[in-house]
C-alpha cells in the first residue's frame, strides 16, 4: 500500500449527519439529531460506514458514532474527567497511574469520534507528548527506571505520522529500562489503510517487545481489510489484543459479545478488557448496570473457551489497576 494513502482516507471521513444517513438509506426524519456539537462533531471513516447495515437506524456501528439527543441530558455522576486523568498527569502528555507502565497521550486526534468516549472533554491542547520531539516525556521516562513498559495512547497515537513515531523510537534508544512498547489504537479497525509499509517497517525493526491493543466493540467492525491490517501487525512482531466498551444497544448481549470474541480470534486477536463505561457527561444512555454486566460475563463464560472471555473491568481514579467487577 503506497505511503500517504491513509491521510486521504482520513480526510475523506464523513462529518455530516445528513450525508451519513443518506449513505445508509435512512430518512433524516427517522432520527432525531441534537444540534451540531462543535467540540465533538460527528466523524466516521467511509470504510467503517461501509460495514454498517443499510436501512437500519439501530445498527451497532452507527450507534457508536451518531450523535443522539440523549447526549444533552445532564445525569448525576456523569462528569467531564471521569477517570482522574488530570490528577495522574506527571509531565507534558505523561500519565503514570500504574506500577511499571507509563502512558503517553501521544496525539489528540482520532479518525473516528466515538460518542461514549472520555476524549470529548479532555483538554488535549496542552497534553501532546509528541510536542518538541517528545522531549519532556522522554525526560520523565529517563528519570524513572521502574518504567518497563511504555504505552502510546491518545486520542489515537497512530494519528501521528510514521516520521513522528521514528523520532520517539530514536529517543527510546537510550532508555534501556523500557523493554516493551504498547500501542492503544482504533485505527487498524476504523482506518486499516494506516497499517501501511512504512509503519509496519518501523514496527518490525523496533528493538522492543510490541503489543498492539485494538478497540472493537462488535464483530461487524471486522472485514477483509481489517483482517489484513491485523495480519500485517502480527507479521511485524506485535502481539494483538482487543479492548471493548460495554455499550447499551451496541453489544450488551451475550450472543453479540461471543461473536465478537470469535471474530477477534479469527483475526488473530485475543480479547483483553471489556470496560464498564467511563461515566463521562453525555454518555449516560450507553450505560449497562453492573448486575447485567456480570450476568453477561457469566453467559460468556458458559459458552466460550476461557481465553476468549475478556476481563470485565472499570477504571476508578486513584486505584492501582483497572478494577475487576
Ligand atoms: C489503562 C491504563 C494503563 C494500562 O493498564 P493495563 O491494566 O496494563 O492494561 C496504563 N496507564 C494508564 C494511565 C491507564 O489508564
Ligand atoms: S480515543 Fe478511542 S474511543 Fe475515543 S474517540 Fe478516539 S478512537 Fe474512539
Amino acid at each position: 500500500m503506497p505511503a500517504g494513502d491513509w491521510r486521504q482516507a482520513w480526510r475523506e471521513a464523513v462529518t455530516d449527519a445528513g450525508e451519513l444517513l443518506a449513505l445508509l438509506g435512512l430518512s433524516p426524519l427517522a432520527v432525531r439529531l441534537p444540534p451540531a456539537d462543535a467540540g465533538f462533531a460527528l466523524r466516521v471513516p467511509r470504510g467503517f460506514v461501509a460495514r454498517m447495515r443499510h436501512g437500519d437506524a439501530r445498527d451497532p456501528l452507527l450507534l457508536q458514532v451518531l450523535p443522539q439527543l440523549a447526549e444533552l441530558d445532564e445525569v448525576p455522576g456523569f462528569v467531564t474527567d471521569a477517570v482522574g486523568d488530570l490528577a495522574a498527569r506527571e509531565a507534558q502528555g505523561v500519565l503514570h497511574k500504574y506500577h511499571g507502565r507509563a502512558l503517553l497521550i501521544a496525539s489528540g486526534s482520532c479518525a473516528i469520534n466515538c460518542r461514549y468516549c472520555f476524549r470529548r472533554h479532555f483538554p488535549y491542547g496542552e497534553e501532546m507528548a509528541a510536542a518538541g520531539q517528545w522531549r519532556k516525556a522522554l525526560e520523565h521516562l529517563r528519570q524513572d527506571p521502574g518504567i518497563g513498559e511504555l504505552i502510546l495512547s491518545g486520542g489515537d497515537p497512530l494519528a501521528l505520522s510514521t516520521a513522528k513515531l521514528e523520532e520517539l523510537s530514536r529517543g527510546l534508544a537510550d532508555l534501556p529500562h523500557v523493554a516493551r512498547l504498547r500501542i492503544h489504537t482504533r485505527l487498524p479497525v476504523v482506518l486499516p489503510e494506516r497499517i501501511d509499509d512504512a509503519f509496519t517497517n518501523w514496527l518490525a525493526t523496533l528493538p522492543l517487545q510490541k503489543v498492539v491493543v485494538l478497540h472493537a466493540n462488535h464483530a461487524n467492525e471486522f472485514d477483509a481489510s481489517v483482517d489484513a491490517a491485523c495480519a500485517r501487525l502480527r507479521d511485524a512482531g506485535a502481539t494483538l489484543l482487543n479492548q471493548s466498551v460495554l455499550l447499551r444497544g451496541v453489544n450488551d448481549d451475550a450472543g453479540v459479545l461471543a461473536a465478537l470474541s470469535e471474530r477477534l480470534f479469527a483475526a488473530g486477536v485475543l480479547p483483553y478488557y471489556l470496560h464498564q463505561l467511563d461515566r463521562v457527561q453525555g454518555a449516560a444512555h450507553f450505560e449497562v448496570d453492573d448486575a447485567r454486566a456480570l450476568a453477561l460475563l457469566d453467559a460468556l463464560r458458559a459458552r466460550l473457551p476461557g481465553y476468549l472471555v475478556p476481563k470485565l473491568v472499570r477504571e476508578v481514579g486513584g486505584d492501582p489497576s483497572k478494577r475487576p467487577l
Side-chain angles (χ1 to χ4, degrees):
M1 193 174 296
D5 275 0
W6 69 273
R7 292 267 183 214
Q8 190 179 344
W10 181 296
R11 278 194 303 272
E12 287 171 356
V14 178
T15 55
D16 178 75
E19 184 189 359
L20 176 59
L21 296 175
L23 284 169
L24 295 170
L26 290 166
S27 151
L29 301 174
V31 182
R32 292 177 63 217
L33 296 169
D37 176 349
F40 201 64
L42 180 143
R43 171 168 199 94
V44 55
R46 286 174 197 271
F48 196 79
V49 175
R51 293 170 232 157
M52 296 175 183
R53 284 190 294 254
H54 205 78
D56 181 1
R58 307 300 303 164
D59 176 81
L61 278 53
L62 176 63
L63 291 180
Q64 294 180 53
V65 300
L66 188 68
Q68 307 277 331
L69 273 180
E71 290 180 18
L72 305 178
D73 297 345
E74 293 221 6
V75 180
F78 283 75
V79 297
T80 54
D81 181 21
V83 292
D85 272 350
L86 296 180
R89 177 188 183 280
E90 285 197 345
Q92 183 177 32
V94 181
L95 297 182
H96 192 183
K97 291 186 187 176
Y98 306 143
H99 179 80
R101 51 234 198 264
L103 183 149
L104 299 194
I105 308 279
S107 149
S109 311
C110 289
I112 187 167
N113 282 345
C114 312
R115 305 315 299 177
Y116 50 85
C117 181
F118 67 93
R119 193 175 70 92
R120 57 192 301 156
H121 305 296
F122 203 67
Y124 275 110
E126 315 110 57
E127 290 297 329
M128 247 37 80
Q133 300 194 305
W134 307 84
R135 198 171 42 78
K136 294 224 173 84
L138 287 164
E139 251 164 46
H140 179 78
L141 296 171
R142 197 167 291 123
Q143 283 158 19
D144 191 344
I147 296 172
E149 176 169 350
L150 180 62
I151 303 174
L152 300 185
S153 186
D156 203 306
L158 297 194
L160 298 174
S161 67
T162 301
K164 198 77 196 166
L165 295 169
E166 284 163 353
E167 243 174 56
L168 172 68
S169 49
R170 281 195 293 276
L172 287 177
D174 44 279
L175 294 175
H177 55 283
V178 176
R180 278 198 301 273
L181 181 73
R182 189 195 320 181
I183 301 176
H184 282 187
T185 175
R186 192 147 159 70
L187 277 179
V189 174
V190 303
L191 198 91
E193 296 92 330
R194 175 65 187 93
I195 311 304
D196 60 8
D197 291 341
F199 176 73
T200 50
N201 289 340
W202 171 75
L203 195 65
T205 51
L206 270 185
L208 298 166
Q209 289 191 291
K210 292 151 288 211
V211 181
V212 176
V213 182
L214 308 176
H215 173 184
N217 301 311
H218 194 285
N220 293 2
E221 292 173 46
F222 284 79
D223 69 1
S225 68
V226 179
D227 286 337
C230 291
R232 293 162 67 79
L233 289 168
R234 272 184 287 117
D235 288 347
T239 297
L240 299 187
L241 304 173
N242 181 66
Q243 51 184 347
S244 308
V245 180
L246 185 57
L247 298 167
R248 198 202 308 166
V250 172
N251 60 9
D252 59 333
D253 174 275
V256 166
L257 289 171
L260 171 61
S261 279
E262 300 270 11
R263 189 62 185 83
L264 286 166
F265 194 67
V269 185
L270 281 172
Y272 179 38
Y273 282 141
L274 176 61
H275 290 271
Q276 264 297 37
L277 186 77
D278 294 329
R279 304 192 88 196
V280 295
Q281 202 175 80
H285 56 292
F286 284 117
E287 194 172 51
V288 177
D289 68 50
D290 284 357
R292 261 206 78 226
L294 286 164
L296 286 168
L297 202 73
D298 277 343
L300 268 193
R301 274 199 209 92
R303 61 200 280 177
L304 290 175
Y307 60 88
L308 291 186
V309 180
K311 297 182 229 293
L312 178 64
V313 294
R314 152 171 295 121
E315 182 159 355
V316 180
D319 270 18
S321 71
K322 305 282 186 265
R323 183 182 291 185
L325 253 74

